[in-house]
Amino acid sequence: MGRSWVGIGAALLLLGLCPGKGMAQAEPLRPAMVDINRADARQLQDLPGIGARRAASIVAFRAAHGPFPGKAALAAVPGVGPKLAARLRGLIVLGPPVAGPTARITSR
């Protein structure tokens, strides 16, 4: 039984499925950037901490108030808030504005 595990380990090493000494470690995958002014609810759910409800809130807020003028404006969406908006800052982008009113967001 001991030999079979050695054989399996050797096979995995040869296939590159099990890193050994001297093998380069792969970098963890980064999530794709999400354009919060254009993404639909499904695309918004790719962001960590954004489920179906929050995604729907973001889409509804954007429909009611227009595109987000900056990344910090995401904090004004009910259910998102400043902490989650700050965590998402590096994962979101603002594409070119779409036709419609610009959101007027004030601090609370």
Side-chain angles (χ1 to χ4, degrees), residues 83-106:
K83 287 182 183 178
L84 180 55
R87 284 197 325 244
L88 296 175
R89 187 173 188 81
L91 300 173
I92 60 176
V93 294
L94 298 163
V98 292
T102 302
R104 305 235 185 268
I105 301 170
T106 59

Side-chain angles (χ1 to χ4, degrees), residues 55-78:
S57 290
I58 293 169
V59 171
F61 187 90
R62 189 177 63 208
H65 301 283
F68 294 98
K71 293 180 179 184
L74 187 61
V77 176

Side-chain angles (χ1 to χ4, degrees), residues 35-47:
D35 182 346
I36 59 171
N37 281 334
R38 295 182 179 264
D40 62 18
R42 178 64 207 116
Q43 292 166 324
L44 289 166
Q45 290 179 52
D46 289 340
L47 293 167

